[in-house]
């Protein structure tokens, strides 16, 4: 995998997670704790420490090296703060050439079309640079914002999985969607 010059959009710079991001990642986690809690696995207190962020970033770099996952941050144009986070995860090669997409936007940036802007720039990268054929994204039925975002990006519903992921401590049903590369 050749990676990568940053991708720029009108409002953000997108680049792979880097070990130097620990402090800004910690700030992102801390200020979005309540915003993200309903949509993520349970986090213990250690998650909100610099050590944990350093560890996450080391794991991110290793996952990139192994072609397993590509965690990205969308930074403000000055490159100081994380505005949004997204990951092309669970990369499978061979006949599948597919991955899962996860994402979040800073609470103060929600409702501004920023996540859409970011993913509209990132998805062509996943298809053409990463060589993905299918990007899968799954959401809880009550996560209307996420469902609308995916629909606007062209993701199509493919199924419904009962008790699919443990979110905020509960095994939650998810709607399964995909975007397939338009060759
Ligand atoms: C899911 C999530 C990323 C969606 O964020 P979002 O800001 O609603 O998504 P978009 O970038 O598509 O923005 C759409 C909104 O911006 C508005 N908007 C404002 N300016 C816009 C512009 N220039 N272009 C497009 N939309 C614009 C749209 O009208 C829409 O608002 P509305 O939903 O109030 O009608 C966000 O809610 C989030 O981070 N949630 C917590 C984590 C999470 O759930 N992750 C996904 C798990 S599956």
């Amino acid at each position: 995998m050749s990676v990568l010059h940053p991708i720029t959009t009108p409002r953000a710079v997108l680049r792979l997670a880097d070990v130097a991001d620990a402090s800004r990642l910690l700030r992102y986690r801390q200020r979005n704790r309540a915003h993200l809690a309903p949509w993520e696995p349970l986090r213990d207190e250690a998650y909100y420490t610099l050590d944990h962020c350093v560890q996450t970033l080391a794991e991110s770099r290793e996952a990139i090296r192994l072609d397993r996952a590509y965690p990205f941050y969308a930074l403000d144009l000055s490159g100081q703060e994380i505005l949004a986070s997204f990951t092309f995860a669970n990369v499978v090669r061979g006949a599948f050439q597919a991955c899962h997409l996860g994402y979040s936007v800073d609470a103060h940036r929600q409702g501004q079309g920023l996540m859409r802007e970011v993913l509209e720039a990132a998805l062509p990268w996943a298809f053409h640079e990463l060589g993905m054929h299918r990007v899968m994204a799954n959401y809880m039925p009550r996560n209307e914002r996420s469902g609308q975002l995916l629909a606007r990006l062209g993701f199509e519903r493919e199924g419904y999985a009962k008790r699919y992921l443990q979110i905020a401590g509960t095994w939650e049903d998810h709607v399964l969607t995909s975007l397939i590369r338009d060759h």
Side-chain angles (χ1 to χ4, degrees):
M1 258 307 302
S2 65
V3 197
L4 169 170
H5 298 299
I7 301 167
T8 50
T9 75
R11 290 180 283 179
V13 179
L14 324 184
R15 61 162 175 73
L16 287 165
D18 188 85
V19 285
D21 289 323
S23 303
R24 58 179 69 92
L25 176 58
L26 179 60
R27 292 195 293 275
Y28 184 81
R29 285 182 179 181
Q30 287 176 333
R31 69 177 180 267
N32 288 297
R33 185 170 179 162
H35 167 54
L36 298 181
W39 314 112
E40 293 193 342
L42 286 177
R43 311 293 193 191
D44 57 23
E45 282 305 317
Y47 185 78
Y48 302 96
T49 63
L50 191 60
D51 277 355
H52 197 288
C53 294
V54 169
Q55 168 90 15
T56 296
L57 293 166
E59 289 168 3
S60 296
R61 296 309 302 183
E62 183 65 357
I64 293 165
R65 192 181 71 77
L66 296 170
D67 189 36
R68 285 195 183 143
Y70 293 84
F72 276 84
Y73 299 119
L75 306 168
D76 66 286
L77 292 174
S78 71
Q80 291 307 302
E81 293 301 321
I82 295 173
L83 306 179
S85 167
F86 60 97
T87 301
F88 297 106
N90 307 325
V91 172
V92 180
R93 296 295 182 178
F96 199 30
Q97 301 294 335
C99 66
H100 284 106
L101 170 63
Y103 46 80
S104 67
V105 71
D106 189 278
H108 292 104
R109 307 290 177 145
Q110 192 175 244
Q112 299 172 11
L114 182 65
M115 195 76 245
R116 180 179 174 180
E117 175 180 312
V118 164
L119 292 177
E120 276 179 346
L123 285 161
W125 179 87
F127 289 124
H128 301 295
E129 301 299 322
L130 207 53
M132 292 290 97
H133 170 72
R134 173 186 299 268
V135 175
M136 301 173 284
N138 308 321
Y139 65 94
M140 287 190 274
R142 65 176 175 278
N143 195 344
E144 290 170 16
R145 280 191 172 276
S146 192
Q148 282 168 10
L149 167 67
L150 292 170
R152 287 179 182 132
L153 290 168
F155 282 74
E156 291 185 47
R157 181 179 168 133
E158 295 188 321
Y160 187 89
K162 290 186 180 171
R163 298 186 289 281
Y164 180 72
L165 288 180
Q166 196 173 38
I167 301 293
T170 303
W171 289 98
E172 296 280 0
D173 294 1
H174 278 67
V175 177
L176 311 180
T177 78
S178 280
L179 186 65
I180 299 170
R181 176 173 168 161
D182 186 10
H183 285 276

